[in-house]
Amino acid sequence: MKKITSILFTCLLTWTIQSQSDYSTSLAGIEWVKIESKSSVSIKTHDKKEIRIVLNDPKPIPEKAKGLRLYGDAGEDNTTVGFNVTTSGNNLIVKHVRKSGEAIIFLPKSQNISVTNSWGGTTEITGFSGEVEANSNLNGALVLSNLTGAVTAYSLNHGIQVNFTEINQNSPIDIRTTNGEINVTLPEKTSANIVLSSWNGDIYSNFDIKTKEKDGLKSFSDRDINGIINGGGVNIKLKSTNGTIYLRKE
Amino acid sequence: MKHVTDSLTDYLDGLLNQEESAAIASHLKECSTCKQALAQLKELFGAFEQEDVLAPSKRVREHFLEALKSEQTTKVATTLENNINVLPKKSGVRILLKIAAGIALLFGAFMLGRNQNERQANQSLATQEYKMLEMQQTAMISLMGNQSPSKRIQGVNLITKFKNPDEEIINALVNRLFLDKNMNVRLTAVEALSMFAKSETVKLAFIKALATEKDPSIQIAIIQNLVRIQAQNAAEPMKYLLEQEDTQPFVKEEINRVLGEII
């Protein structure tokens, strides 16, 4: 009897912990999921049409906070996992209320995602085929991997690393930093029109970039390296003010 | 095979027969120019499917009508001149005169017909160009309002299709610079506007933006443009940036470097 009680107790405890560090809701009718955070967030795919937020390192809630609700400049925690989740039109707005603490967010593969990090930490986005918009407005790093959709990414002080497994020819890719480096890997056979430019940094690539002004490619600035790879195609622009740029083949 | 750009619209709409369609498909495999034209058309049509149709601005319409009118006047004048020149001035022989008159009449009629055709061709060319411009302007403005930042960038980049964009387009780009939430779109808008930095609207927008802008990449891009066009009144906002504590050191360095050039 003692054994059964202790097993039941363990189950109950696990369930309680689980319920406190795990949140999910349906994504029906949602076109864009917009995530705002001040710390590290990792965004991964799963095969359900819902968002699931899992705390990665749930710090113990202070004893004194029991029975109280977490509030922050991003709103109140309405998920029990430190996030504020609301809908606005066809957007799902997901705000990290805690100022620290990492989280993993699971979304369907084809989801359009917009992530803004306004403080620091690393934003990881892996495996998506929808459009990805990633902004790091202060000190955060952006690590985007195994993507196949359009990407726009901007980082102020940290670097951006992007790895594409396929390039969607319908929508341009635009990646920029002010002070960090840009490190982009494309499949070897990617056809694209490429613009590479860094005001104070150097540019490296192992692609055979053909620069031909005659082909109707127009440069906005004299500093741009403007060319085509594998016959030309969708526009891919990598630009930095002070950072180094690396464009490599897979 | 010659370029097939003229038939691409019909090709996309499925109006061609199997043979013609196959010929175009095989040409597209080899010709990058036509392939690019097809991609552009698809892009435009795609944009239309997604968006509500907007009417062209009044200015575009007026410009077009003026251009058409002047085109017609020039062609009519040339035709008359040609007819007068071919008539013989003096002749002693009646029969020769008759023949000459006959030839003149024939030639005149021929020239008239030819010019008529040319005029019609020119008109239809002008109409086509206008239609294309109209389509591109609509596509550009609607793409710039899209929810997807990548599509908005695509819209901003359509600026390369316009040699003399009208105020509506310039204002739409200025709005992207000031109001867009995405930094990539804003920076692309600065690049697009810098192609027309000499325009008073763009110059004023740049000076205004410099006074409020916090992002160093945008600050640098605007400073470079204002120096390039020698905007005298740009010195004030630049000096203001120099005094601000939160202006990044490399931006201050650049301002110090260029300030002498515009005063």
Side-chain angles (χ1 to χ4, degrees):
Chain A
M1 186 61 195
K2 236 183 178 180
K3 250 186 183 173
I4 294 173
T5 319
S6 75
I7 287 169
L8 272 176
F9 181 73
T10 317
C11 283
L12 190 73
L13 195 70
T14 321
W15 180 78
T16 320
I17 290 170
Q18 181 81 9
S19 72
Q20 278 178 351
S21 59
D22 194 328
Y23 164 87
S24 53
T25 189
S26 163
L27 288 171
I30 297 296
E31 205 138 301
W32 282 83
V33 171
K34 301 194 170 178
I35 300 163
E36 295 170 22
S37 175
K38 289 190 173 73
S39 57
S40 294
V41 173
S42 175
I43 302 159
K44 296 176 176 175
T45 58
H46 67 176
D47 46 16
K48 290 177 196 153
K49 181 82 180 148
E50 62 177 36
I51 179 173
R52 181 169 165 239
I53 306 174
V54 180
L55 285 188
N56 208 10
D57 57 348
K59 285 182 186 166
I61 297 166
E63 197 63 29
K64 289 173 187 166
K66 276 206 173 141
L68 307 178
R69 188 176 280 179
L70 173 71
Y71 281 88
D73 56 0
E76 61 175 277
D77 171 11
N78 61 0
T79 59
T80 73
V81 290
F83 278 79
N84 176 280
V85 178
T86 48
T87 354
S88 164
N90 56 6
N91 299 320
L92 189 78
I93 316 288
V94 180
K95 293 179 181 173
H96 203 170
V97 183
R98 298 176 79 192
K99 295 187 176 66
S100 60
E102 298 178 12
I104 307 175
I105 297 175
F106 293 92
L107 293 166
K109 190 178 166 66
S110 61
Q111 185 64 53
N112 296 324
I113 305 162
S114 165
V115 187
T116 302
N117 179 301
S118 55
W119 186 254
T122 302
T123 303
E124 280 181 306
I125 304 176
T126 311
F128 288 89
S129 62
E131 183 171 336
V132 172
E133 176 189 6
N135 307 298
S136 165
N137 294 338
L138 202 61
N139 293 319
L142 301 174
V143 180
L144 320 177
S145 48
N146 298 333
L147 301 183
T148 57
V151 169
T152 53
Y154 172 77
S155 170
L156 181 65
N157 290 325
H158 225 294
I160 303 179
Q161 188 182 324
V162 195
N163 161 279
F164 289 94
T165 43
E166 201 186 311
I167 296 293
N168 178 337
Q169 289 288 329
N170 295 327
S171 250
I173 287 165
D174 197 281
I175 295 164
R176 300 175 189 249
T177 63
T178 297
N179 295 317
E181 66 172 42
I182 297 177
N183 189 350
V184 172
T185 307
L186 303 174
E188 192 177 350
K189 287 180 180 161
T190 304
S191 300
N193 291 2
I194 301 270
V195 177
L196 305 169
S197 157
S198 180
W199 197 51
N200 288 321
D202 291 320
I203 297 166
Y204 299 93
S205 179
N206 57 355
F207 269 103
D208 181 18
I209 304 168
K210 292 206 170 77
T211 46
K212 271 196 218 162
E213 284 296 315
K214 272 187 260 166
D215 273 8
L217 294 169
K218 199 167 179 181
S219 170
F220 286 122
S221 149
D222 301 338
R223 289 175 188 268
D224 296 356
I225 292 175
N226 206 322
I228 56 173
I229 54 171
N230 295 314
V234 72
N235 288 326
I236 299 181
K237 196 179 269 185
L238 314 180
K239 289 189 110 173
S240 178
T241 308
N242 297 321
T244 307
I245 297 176
Y246 304 94
L247 174 66
R248 47 184 108 237
K249 292 178 191 173
E250 176 72 79
Chain B
M1 188 174 173
K2 278 207 283 180
H3 289 317
V4 294
T5 38
D6 290 348
S7 324
L8 287 176
T9 323
D10 291 346
Y11 175 69
L12 276 178
D13 287 342
L15 298 174
L16 302 177
N17 63 36
Q18 228 174 1
E19 209 172 290
E20 289 168 328
S21 190
I24 287 180
S26 79
H27 175 76
L28 282 170
K29 276 183 198 156
E30 291 156 12
C31 175
S32 63
T33 315
C34 292
K35 212 161 123 185
Q36 206 170 0
L38 182 73
Q40 280 176 2
L41 272 178
K42 274 188 184 166
E43 188 183 293
L44 287 174
F45 290 164
F48 289 137
E49 277 166 20
Q50 286 176 17
E51 304 293 334
D52 296 336
V53 177
L54 299 174
S57 73
K58 209 176 162 188
R59 215 180 128 194
V60 168
R61 197 178 308 126
E62 278 166 5
H63 270 192
F64 165 69
L65 290 174
E66 268 170 33
L68 195 64
K69 211 171 163 186
S70 85
E71 182 110 29
Q72 280 171 333
T73 333
T74 349
K75 287 295 169 193
V76 170
T78 335
T79 316
L80 284 175
E81 210 172 284
N82 282 335
N83 288 349
I84 292 162
N85 286 343
V86 293
L87 283 172
K89 283 174 188 161
K90 275 184 183 176
S91 174
V93 188
R94 270 179 95 183
I95 194 142
L96 267 179
L97 192 67
K98 271 189 180 171
I99 292 169
I103 291 172
L105 209 63
L106 262 174
F107 188 66
F110 167 72
M111 285 304 284
L112 199 69
R114 202 177 78 163
N115 275 306
Q116 183 77 25
N117 282 342
E118 256 178 34
R119 201 160 66 229
Q120 276 171 359
N122 277 327
Q123 269 186 27
S124 94
L125 197 70
T127 318
Q128 262 181 25
E129 275 174 15
Y130 166 71
K131 270 190 185 165
M132 200 63 191
L133 207 69
E134 185 191 337
M135 263 164 61
Q136 268 156 353
Q137 174 155 350
T138 312
M140 187 173 166
I141 298 212
S142 57
L143 277 171
M144 280 197 275
N146 201 294
Q147 216 179 346
S148 138
S150 174
K151 289 285 173 206
R152 293 204 294 279
I153 288 174
Q154 203 167 21
V156 172
N157 280 335
L158 280 178
I159 190 67
T160 50
K161 314 270 185 221
F162 298 88
K163 279 188 196 131
N164 300 304
D166 66 16
E167 268 323 85
E168 192 184 355
I169 295 183
I170 295 288
N171 285 332
L173 288 172
V174 170
N175 281 341
R176 284 302 115 209
L177 164 61
F178 281 97
L179 306 173
D180 208 289
K181 285 182 180 161
N182 182 290
M183 276 301 301
N184 301 67
V185 178
R186 300 188 62 215
L187 281 159
T188 313
V190 174
E191 287 161 3
L193 285 169
S194 47
M195 293 164 70
F196 310 100
K198 283 188 178 152
S199 127
E200 211 46 43
T201 319
V202 177
K203 201 189 336 180
L204 284 176
F206 277 162
I207 289 175
K208 193 179 157 203
L210 205 55
T212 52
E213 186 55 55
K214 290 282 172 229
D215 182 85
S217 285
I218 292 192
Q219 288 170 345
I220 287 282
I222 290 179
I223 290 168
Q224 284 169 350
N225 274 302
L226 290 173
V227 173
R228 184 163 58 89
I229 56 165
Q230 289 290 307
Q232 303 284 335
N233 35 2
E236 277 314 306
M238 285 193 204
K239 281 181 190 160
Y240 173 78
L241 273 183
L242 269 184
E243 288 160 13
Q244 302 309 304
E245 265 180 35
D246 56 355
T247 304
Q248 291 220 6
F250 73 93
V251 177
K252 289 189 177 177
E253 219 171 87
E254 176 68 3
I255 294 177
N256 279 324
R257 196 178 68 79
V258 301
L259 215 49
E261 291 179 33
I262 55 165
I263 296 175

